[in-house]
DNA sequence: GAGGTAGCGATACCCATGGTATCGAAACTA
DNA sequence: TAGTTTCGATACCATGGGTATCGCTACCTC
């Protein structure tokens, strides 16, 4: 039994262009901004037909979400204490949002989601929830608390990006960390 | 000489429909969301022609910015200490963003501004700067520090609004205040 | 009251963009 | 070879921001 050969569906198999499309998405967003990064331009940049993009992603929003998931990858949860975990997570997401195209794309979908409940649901369940669950587990904090932290950290980073067009500088990221860390309940042994 | 009667420009004077348009803008955004609140619909809701709207505001973005300025009004800077000032300011903006239509409209323009540098400039100079200057003065904090606070507070509130479609609840606003306040340098006499 | 100016409503229009539909060709399985 | 599905190309539709035009109206000045 060669692995799951027989599981392959009939018909012409898809070519492996997802990675190319993701790269084209980020580079197009970086060059032209979110709104001018049309699906047609992204497809052209990827050397692919517009219809191919729409066959794989039902909307521009879902394309961007998948692209962001690919760009982010899993949270690197390193550190011995909860403070170190939180600190490394904040630096990680700040770095990701600072990568060329990523911040613009993130702010862009987020914006679209404001007036598109379906997209909001996708953004929340596909992008936010996995990280939320990982953080809940790693930090041992309740859901509403982790949601609050995500609002603060991601909201702050996106607001800076949206207002200035530039990612937040290291000094301000450090200030963000310094502000958030004390909000974690003291580690066992530190409190009375 | 009755005041500046002669300063009135020639031609038919504008009718006082600004307030009506602002109200129509918020109610339309509240009912349909930002994207579906088209200029044509807003004009119709206000009982005004689309051309009248575009004669007064050069773009949808500027209409929304003016509408928000009208809805926000000046920051009520009350409180004897800087902590009280900051706390009241946070509660104030949280309340405003929670008003029907206001949060959606805010998140909406903000989104548009991401890929529209001209709108970003308007948003920054017309909406953010006045409040930033007032806060710098009232809190006696440097510009970059106040900008950081604005990123944190407004970013957090908008992120919650954008992700859930609902304004932040009081308990979380209180948590936001509790997180930000310690970031103000201690008042004179409190520190060593 | 006549003439100039500018706001107003209505309407037609242009353009960009998200998204759909169609078609012939290609790639793969059975 | 028959069947299935992808691919590229293209035409197409609907929506919405923004512009332009036109006849009308309100106001000021002479």
């Amino acid at each position: 039994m060669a692995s799951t050969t027989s599981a392959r569906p009939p018909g012409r198999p898809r070519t492996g262009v997802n990675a190319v499309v993701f790269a084209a998405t980020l580079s197009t967003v970086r060059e032209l901004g979110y709104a001018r990064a049309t699906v047609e331009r992204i497809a052209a940049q990827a050397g692919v037909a517009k219809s191919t993009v729409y066959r794989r992603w039902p909307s521009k929003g879902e394309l961007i979400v998948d692209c962001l998931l690919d760009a982010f990858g899993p949270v690197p949860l390193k550190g011995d204490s909860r403070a170190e975990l939180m600190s490394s997570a904040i630096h990680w997401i700040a770095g990701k949002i600072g990568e060329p195209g990523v911040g613009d794309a993130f702010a862009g979908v987020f914006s679209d989601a404001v007036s598109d409940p379906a997209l909001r649901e996708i953004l929340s369940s596909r992008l936010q929830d996995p990280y939320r669950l990982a953080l809940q587990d790693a930090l041992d904090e309740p859901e509403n608390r982790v949601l609050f932290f995500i609002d603060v950290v991601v909201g702050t980073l996106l607001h800076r990006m949206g207002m200035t067009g530039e990612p937040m500088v290291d000094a301000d990221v450090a200030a963000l960390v310094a502000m958030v860390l004390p909000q974690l309940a003291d580690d066992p042994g530190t409190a009375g």
Side-chain angles (χ1 to χ4, degrees), chain A residues 28-29 31-39 41-42 60:
Chain A
T28 305
V29 168
E31 285 173 26
L32 304 176
Y34 182 79
R36 296 184 53 202
T38 69
V39 175
R41 272 192 260 258
I42 290 171
K60 179 180 178 180

Side-chain angles (χ1 to χ4, degrees), chain A residues 149-160:
Chain A
F149 289 139
I150 292 176
D151 285 334
V152 170
V153 173
V154 177
T156 299
L157 293 169
L158 289 185
H159 190 273
R160 172 63 57 96

Side-chain angles (χ1 to χ4, degrees), chain A residues 107-121:
Chain A
V109 246
F110 186 81
S111 315
D112 281 358
V114 169
S115 29
D116 183 344
L119 180 55
R120 181 158 62 211
E121 171 58 28

Side-chain angles (χ1 to χ4, degrees), chain A residues 29 37 52 56 78 80-81 100-101 104 112 121 133 135-136 145 150 156 158 161-162:
Chain A
V29 168
T52 297
R56 293 170 184 228
K78 50 191 172 189
D80 296 329
S81 67
D104 279 327
D112 281 358
E121 171 58 28
L133 291 169
L135 288 171
Q136 275 180 230
R145 201 71 190 142
I150 292 176
T156 299
L158 289 185
M161 187 85 200

Side-chain angles (χ1 to χ4, degrees), chain A residues 23-111:
Chain A
T25 301
L26 289 184
S27 81
T28 305
V29 168
R30 184 185 58 221
E31 285 173 26
L32 304 176
Y34 182 79
R36 296 184 53 202
T38 69
V39 175
E40 218 155 15
R41 272 192 260 258
I42 290 171
Q45 175 89 9
V48 156
K50 180 185 175 185
S51 48
T52 297
V53 173
Y54 274 105
R55 193 174 299 109
R56 293 170 184 228
W57 296 277
S59 68
K60 179 180 178 180
E62 297 213 35
L63 165 62
I64 303 283
V65 168
D66 268 11
C67 181
L68 289 175
L69 277 170
D70 178 74
F72 287 163
V75 214
L77 289 168
K78 50 191 172 189
D80 296 329
S81 67
R82 303 196 307 150
E84 286 174 21
L85 281 174
M86 176 68 94
S87 175
S88 73
I90 294 177
H91 281 289
W92 166 76
I93 188 65
K96 288 293 181 183
I97 289 179
E99 285 178 10
V102 175
D104 279 327
F106 198 173
V109 246
F110 186 81
S111 315

